[in-house]
Amino acid sequence: MSLREVFERLAIYLPDDTLEALLIHSKKQKGQKVQLRLLSEQKLAESTEWMAQIEVFKHIIPLWTDDHSNYVGLYVEGPLAYKLCYINHEETDLSPIYRSAASLIAELEQNPELDWEQLHKDYPSDEDISTEQLAEDIRCMHELQAILEKDSSMEDDVRCQLLYSLMAITPVSEVDSLLSYVDDEDMYVQERACILLGYHGYEPATEILKEVVKHGSPNGKLAACKALSMIRAKQMDKHIKK
């Protein structure tokens, strides 16, 4: 069974350019020693059918694996359609990491010897994204916000994953929106908001982060301390460059 036939059998639609990029990449990987390899057609079908039974995975198909029970998955439905996430067997975080399959493929083919942690990622994004990419990220933000606002009774793990994704794709120009999650009742959401504020070096968050250090959840306190250190480091870099 070919890759194309697997998608047809599972009633999964992929844009022509995405499918073509995967077919070409599959041929290039044959016989090569790589850190991330495309799943075989049989394993892809089996894993997709299994994941479809779990709520947080139902819009994702696994495409690559490191052979250590970790996968790179492709969103095939919803606001994040055709973006990629990393499926870690130890800790679930389904926020998008790459904008498209083509983006990851380009990185893998340029650096086949690198493992996942060493690869350059698309998200969280920096300031140098294109106008089109910025518009796409903001569109995704709004659609995810609408889903969260519409269903106030969703399961905690589903809500957490949606918020992880929402925060991950938040562009630098919209980073102030992360402040609303710093006091979230979910300590994992609070933790992620703090870390991303630190990643972006968002100085206006300094006082709020200090309050989290004092009164936040255990996860939030540690993340806020780390975020403050990241902000200070970015401030020093700016000073040195001047």
Side-chain angles (χ1 to χ4, degrees):
M1 187 185 304
S2 70
L3 194 60
R4 190 187 300 275
E5 290 171 334
V6 171
F7 292 134
E8 289 177 353
R9 183 168 73 82
L10 296 172
I12 292 172
Y13 167 78
L14 294 184
D16 290 341
D17 57 346
T18 299
L19 181 56
E20 185 65 21
L22 289 170
L23 293 172
I24 294 172
H25 179 62
S26 178
K27 292 178 181 178
K28 288 183 178 180
Q29 278 201 333
K30 287 183 178 178
Q32 285 193 350
K33 183 179 180 180
V34 294
Q35 296 295 325
L36 281 172
R37 64 171 180 80
L38 279 172
L39 292 170
S40 67
E41 287 79 2
Q42 180 179 350
K43 185 65 175 178
L44 170 61
E46 292 173 354
S47 300
T48 298
E49 290 176 345
W50 170 77
M51 287 174 59
Q53 302 174 43
I54 303 173
E55 182 68 19
V56 295
F57 294 119
K58 69 178 184 179
H59 295 318
I60 301 170
I61 58 171
L63 286 178
W64 286 267
T65 181
D66 60 3
D67 291 320
H68 297 290
S69 300
N70 302 309
Y71 301 88
V72 177
L74 176 74
Y75 279 91
V76 293
E77 291 184 45
L80 300 171
Y82 313 124
K83 297 184 187 298
L84 275 65
C85 64
Y86 186 64
I87 305 170
N88 188 309
H89 73 279
E90 294 183 345
E91 182 178 356
T92 304
D93 175 5
L94 304 177
S95 57
I97 303 294
Y98 286 95
R99 294 181 178 278
S100 65
S103 181
L104 173 58
I105 288 170
E107 182 69 12
L108 291 177
E109 293 184 355
Q110 290 173 20
N111 305 286
E113 76 287 353
L114 299 184
D115 61 27
W116 177 257
E117 297 301 326
Q118 297 171 304
L119 295 171
H120 175 74
K121 314 299 195 305
D122 292 338
Y123 293 111
S125 61
D126 295 316
E127 295 179 350
D128 60 346
I129 61 175
S130 69
T131 302
E132 292 77 12
Q133 289 172 334
L134 175 60
E136 169 67 11
D137 291 345
I138 292 176
R139 179 195 64 77
C140 286
M141 281 181 59
H142 290 164
E143 291 189 14
L144 288 169
Q145 286 168 342
I147 292 172
L148 287 159
E149 291 169 3
K150 182 178 180 180
D151 186 359
S152 59
S153 62
M154 67 175 59
E155 296 178 7
D156 289 345
D157 57 344
V158 175
R159 176 180 181 271
C160 182
Q161 293 305 321
L162 286 174
L163 284 170
Y164 276 5
S165 294
L166 173 58
M167 291 188 285
I169 65 172
T170 298
V172 175
S173 61
E174 306 290 323
V175 72
D176 62 317
S177 67
L178 298 179
L179 293 172
S180 62
Y181 305 115
V182 169
D183 61 353
D184 195 88
E185 60 185 15
D186 187 320
M187 67 179 180
Y188 298 108
V189 172
Q190 183 182 77
E191 175 185 31
R192 183 60 55 86
C194 291
I195 291 298
L196 285 171
L197 286 166
Y199 173 87
H200 289 296
Y202 190 58
E203 295 178 27
T206 299
E207 294 305 316
I208 296 175
L209 289 169
K210 288 179 179 178
E211 286 300 308
V212 177
V213 172
K214 295 177 183 178
H215 307 295
S217 66
N219 288 48
K221 289 179 179 181
L222 292 173
C225 284
K226 183 176 180 179
L228 288 167
S229 296
M230 295 167 75
I231 290 172
R232 285 194 294 269
K234 287 181 179 290
Q235 289 174 330
M236 289 182 63
D237 287 343
K238 290 179 182 177
H239 180 73
I240 291 171
K241 289 176 181 179
K242 289 181 179 178

